Amino acid sequence: MKTFINTFKLFFRIPSLFISYFLMLLVDNYLMYKILSSFIGAKNKGMVTDSMYFYGDMGILCFVLMIIPIFLGYEFLRKNNTNSFEVVSKISKGVNVIKANQILVLLLLLVLHVINIGVCLLIGFLKIGTENIFFDEIIEMYLCDFILLPFAALSIGILLSRIRNKYIGYSLIIFVCFTCLSTTDSILTDIYHKTSIPVYYISDFCNLIPPDITATYDPLYGFPMELYRVLAKVFWIVLAMWTEMIHLTKGRQKWKQYVCLAIGSIMIVLLGFRITNKGSVLRMQSYAKSGIVETNYYYGAEKDNQKEKRGEFYITNYDMELTFSDQLYAKVLIEINQHTTLKEYNFTLYHGYHVDYVENVNGEKLNFVRDGDYLTVKNEEGKQLEEIIIGYKGYSSVFYSNKKACFLPGLFPYYPKAGFVKIYEDGYVGCENEKSHFRIKTNGIVPYSNLPKEGNVFQGDAKNVILLSGFYEEKNIGVQNIVYYPMNGLSKEIAETMENTELRDDYKKLCNYLGVFQEDVFERKKIIIIPSSLTFNSVLKSFYVFDQYILLGDSTTAYDVLESQVPYDENKTYLRDVFFYFQAGMDVDFSEEALYSEDDTISDYEEYMEIHDLFITKAKKIGQKEVARKVFNYLADTTNTEKEIDFMRNLR
Amino acid sequence: MIELAHVTKKYGKKTVLDDVSLTLEKGCYGLLGPNGAGKTTLIQSTLGIIRINKGSIQRKKDKDVGYLPQKLTFFEEATVNEMLYYFTTVKKIEKKDREIEIERVLKKVNLLEKKDERIKKLSGGMKQRMGIAQAILGDPQLIMLDEPTVGLDPEERKRFKELIVNMKEEKTVLISSHIVSDIEEICDRVIIMNQGKIIQDRALEKMELEKYYLETVNNIN
């Protein structure tokens, strides 16, 4: 006990150590106060989702909680390593108890701080109520980011304290801290894209502080509390313990050393494997495998990764078993309707899913070729093949699917779709197919879907099936069935006022203006409200109408609804863009709109610019309502093949 | 008694100890040799701090050893008493004896009045005496001191020599030094090393050592 007390006193006699410790207390308490005020403030205003933004502030808090324990561990323990205690204890065949006492003192100080933060959170709970939808998430966050983090950081400090050269030691501390920052991701991503060496794994191990979710916020997913983030912390703790054990057993019986070496190595390899193979997670920013970066890189590559070839068969029935664990595990039985027996069956299945096997109903393996998003099942012998079973696992970095949540829209091929289809068209995901019968059994989670549900089995006919899980709720308003996310005020409002929404009124007004028959697109369809988030906004439009359901963004306007009614024609894209840019010409003062032709800075007067200018001049000349109606009719008429530029030039 | 038989230690391709055989019994031994001769490696191998590649080393029980490394640093913010208390803990001295033992060694190295002084306030010589004090904590039978007189002033050096002379009757003391006069005055036997080998191991004939040592080393070089 005296040794411990002496060590405790020693800590507080070293100015650099105790000043750092008190600085950590001060900064973290201030940030905690700020965060809690924000939570409570947000709660009081009824916008609980917005409080999630304050998780960003926790990033700063956690950074402090990381950098100072690293420093404390390094500085305090380094003094021991130069003090020959280890040598003397080795001679005496004893344990370096001084070091053990130093570690205990640091642990005690960190425990006190962790309790301090725990008390702050408790006060927060009392204020916002334990009924809060975030209760479980905050508890997990506390365990992962506030308890494990400082101990992992301390472990890094202890590890680095083995390096006696102060300059190398501090350089490594700076490196580790820098790697923990999300800004490093873009550097590592660049290196990966240039060299194909997966250097981004480095940041997986240093991913100690919470990612900045404020930039790529997804309220449906909640906080990024994923196993790999916990394991990254456990990794450093185990590594530090292992290193100390090795030093402890140095010079002892060889078998002890070997046992220690073997156990430690196995644990570190297993942890490393699990950290780098993290499965489906919501990791954003510039990380090489994050949704936006990966999608842009894969589909924006010079080599055209996408194919288009219509399948010579129809899928009449899907019988799927989907297991949501660290990623999606799927076993899909497909029933095929075909005119003739084929030698090859082409499917589209997102490249993030690894196909384990393909077999027929008798369990006989079938050869297959996997090429990016495409799967070709071989039927070389030309046997009658009416059912194919495909087993696969994997994930998409945009459309997550794990035990915590899933977002698998029907336009995304998370199950095999007939033929070779382009997954991304014009930057948006859009992989439609013919109507089939679906029977989907889910394990791990019970998501929401457009299909009727019985327990964990979904069954029905549809063109595509959406599966959603996370912070969603389902409710019936009259005959209308709505899936929405209740934490957000706007979503809640949409869900509650769907019968008489502003959106419907605006759409009605717009239809009257354009003189088109107003079809009630919302009627008798399930409405699924999706939130605005960077990833979703970049790969999904804000409004979709399908045969059974509607995907509705929380910022959808009447123009988005109208746009969904206009079939996509690649020969009419410029005019379409101009038409919706001017919001169908409604409520626009064209006299104030500038013409490209009058802009001296433009040297190349392109077709898009001419169409833009023609829209303005014609609107001024023959009236904007008239132009809007004629252009809309032209865009909606799939039989009209006149060139868009000619149409605009000839518009009277 | 300590017995080293055909001890070889290599660092990579470099042989630092080359087939060294040595027997140490009660008394004071001086270990002389130029830099890089293998003196520190010999001491550390004997104490089991580093593992040897070949040969065998036999010595008495592990706890009964005192060692002063060539470079010994302390927690500068700790007091003399606290620092020595740490060493008593590491050396597994019984709790009840720790304070008494600290007082005993501090008296021996004449640092008792500095007991509650912070180490950062001590002079270089005082710190070296503290090092010697930690080496003799627990009254070990085998004491190995690597360059113990570095930083000591003439008065301190004299006191150190007295301390060793008083101990050598009952203990085995090995002093590694490059200062011939230190060895000459207090040691009974001298071991001269060069390039990892013992080139001389003989009883000390007073007044001749410096001349003899220089001649031996010069002849080899």
Side-chain angles (χ1 to χ4, degrees), chain B residues 49-111:
Chain B
I49 299 166
I50 51 174
R51 194 173 282 168
I52 55 170
N53 301 101
K54 245 161 93 177
S56 65
I57 297 167
Q58 284 185 348
R59 66 177 168 94
K60 273 188 174 177
K61 56 181 180 176
D62 299 318
K63 277 171 75 177
D64 227 7
V65 175
Y67 172 52
L68 172 70
Q70 205 169 9
K71 277 181 191 165
L72 183 67
T73 49
F74 305 103
F75 290 130
E76 293 287 312
E77 294 79 9
T79 64
V80 170
N81 187 53
E82 284 166 355
M83 196 69 203
L84 287 175
Y85 194 87
Y86 280 143
F87 281 105
T88 60
T89 316
V90 172
K91 287 189 162 189
K92 296 185 224 167
I93 294 169
E94 291 222 3
K95 266 185 191 169
K96 60 178 174 52
D97 301 331
R98 284 179 189 171
E99 296 292 347
I100 304 161
E101 186 58 15
I102 290 167
E103 278 211 10
R104 183 187 74 80
V105 295
L106 284 176
K107 260 185 211 162
K108 291 239 178 198
V109 296
N110 199 27
L111 271 180

Side-chain angles (χ1 to χ4, degrees), chain A residues 9-44:
Chain A
K9 282 197 279 187
L10 183 68
F11 179 91
F12 285 99
R13 279 195 207 134
I14 303 171
S16 61
L17 297 184
F18 77 80
I19 291 172
S20 307
Y21 181 70
F22 283 119
L23 195 70
M24 176 172 75
L25 287 184
L26 205 72
V27 173
D28 281 355
N29 275 297
Y30 168 71
L31 288 169
M32 213 54 220
Y33 168 75
K34 218 176 128 199
I35 290 162
L36 286 175
S37 309
S38 312
F39 261 87
I40 295 161
K43 163 78 178 169
N44 290 342

Side-chain angles (χ1 to χ4, degrees), chain B residues 71-196:
Chain B
K71 277 181 191 165
L72 183 67
T73 49
F74 305 103
F75 290 130
E76 293 287 312
E77 294 79 9
T79 64
V80 170
N81 187 53
E82 284 166 355
M83 196 69 203
L84 287 175
Y85 194 87
Y86 280 143
F87 281 105
T88 60
T89 316
V90 172
K91 287 189 162 189
K92 296 185 224 167
I93 294 169
E94 291 222 3
K95 266 185 191 169
K96 60 178 174 52
D97 301 331
R98 284 179 189 171
E99 296 292 347
I100 304 161
E101 186 58 15
I102 290 167
E103 278 211 10
R104 183 187 74 80
V105 295
L106 284 176
K107 260 185 211 162
K108 291 239 178 198
V109 296
N110 199 27
L111 271 180
L112 193 59
E113 74 278 13
K114 300 282 179 189
K115 194 180 167 188
D116 296 317
E117 198 85 65
R118 294 226 187 143
I119 291 168
K120 65 179 174 190
K121 288 186 179 168
L122 300 183
S123 67
M126 285 175 182
K127 284 180 187 169
Q128 187 68 357
R129 278 193 272 159
M130 250 205 80
I132 297 165
Q134 70 76 26
I136 59 172
L137 264 176
D139 201 19
Q141 287 304 300
L142 170 65
I143 299 166
M144 292 198 156
L145 309 170
D146 204 349
E147 302 285 359
T149 53
V150 170
L152 299 184
D153 62 29
E155 190 58 38
E156 286 166 333
R157 196 168 286 188
K158 196 180 151 200
R159 184 177 277 276
F160 167 72
K161 285 171 190 168
E162 280 171 16
L163 176 74
I164 301 298
V165 168
N166 288 335
M167 289 195 302
K168 70 179 184 182
E169 298 301 317
E170 310 156 354
K171 302 175 196 301
T172 306
V173 183
L174 180 78
I175 300 169
S176 160
S177 179
H178 65 279
I179 302 166
V180 178
S181 61
D182 286 349
I183 304 258
E184 196 173 29
E185 281 175 42
I186 49 176
C187 295
D188 310 312
R189 228 172 119 178
V190 66
I191 300 152
I192 301 174
M193 285 189 78
N194 195 38
Q195 293 179 345

Side-chain angles (χ1 to χ4, degrees), chain A residues 142-291:
Chain A
Y142 178 61
L143 293 173
C144 175
D145 291 330
F146 294 148
I147 294 186
L148 269 180
L149 171 64
F151 297 112
L154 181 65
S155 303
I156 294 174
I158 293 171
L159 267 172
L160 295 179
S161 71
R162 289 271 164 205
I163 298 160
R164 297 196 177 191
N165 185 313
K166 217 171 172 176
Y167 298 104
I168 299 174
Y170 275 104
S171 303
L172 284 169
I173 289 178
I174 292 167
F175 175 76
V176 169
C177 294
F178 185 66
T179 316
C180 289
L181 297 174
S182 54
T183 42
T184 318
D185 281 342
S186 54
I187 300 168
L188 296 174
T189 301
D190 280 348
I191 297 171
Y192 166 63
H193 286 164
K194 278 174 191 157
T195 62
S196 294
I197 303 165
V199 282
Y200 53 84
Y201 284 142
I202 295 171
S203 73
D204 285 341
F205 288 94
C206 295
N207 189 27
L208 300 177
I209 57 171
D212 177 14
I213 62 158
T214 53
T216 50
Y217 167 64
D218 181 0
L220 302 173
Y221 192 79
F223 296 119
M225 287 301 148
E226 292 136 345
L227 188 64
Y228 86 104
R229 291 192 54 235
V230 174
L231 294 183
K233 293 173 181 75
V234 174
F235 173 83
W236 289 107
I237 295 170
V238 169
L239 191 64
M241 281 168 64
W242 181 58
T243 313
E244 289 306 314
M245 285 294 283
I246 284 175
H247 279 273
L248 215 66
T249 54
K250 222 174 182 178
R252 306 284 167 89
Q253 290 110 309
K254 275 195 171 176
W255 72 267
K256 282 186 186 170
Q257 273 185 305
Y258 291 145
V259 168
C260 178
L261 203 69
I263 294 172
S265 307
I266 291 167
M267 281 184 77
I268 284 161
V269 168
L270 287 177
L271 281 168
F273 179 79
R274 191 65 185 79
I275 291 164
T276 49
N277 292 279
K278 46 193 169 297
S280 180
V281 296
L282 191 68
R283 187 153 178 194
M284 299 297 182
Q285 295 141 333
S286 311
Y287 183 67
K289 294 288 170 188
S290 77

Side-chain angles (χ1 to χ4, degrees), chain A residues 63 126 207 269 298 304 309 428 451 485 508 512 591 601-602 636:
Chain A
F63 189 71
L126 295 176
N207 189 27
V269 168
Y298 188 84
D304 190 7
K309 192 180 175 188
Y428 295 107
L451 294 180
Y485 53 108
K508 198 174 169 186
N512 288 338
S591 63
T601 58
I602 294 168

Side-chain angles (χ1 to χ4, degrees), chain A residues 546-584:
Chain A
F546 299 114
D547 52 344
Q548 292 171 319
Y549 70 106
I550 285 168
L551 261 188
L552 176 69
D554 59 8
S555 55
T556 303
T557 64
Y559 304 103
D560 297 320
V561 180
L562 184 73
E563 197 174 355
S564 73
Q565 303 296 298
V566 180
Y568 182 81
D569 183 342
E570 60 183 13
N571 297 315
K572 296 178 182 177
T573 53
Y574 290 158
L575 186 53
R576 185 190 176 101
D577 287 350
V578 169
F579 180 76
F580 287 105
Y581 173 75
F582 286 122
Q583 301 187 336

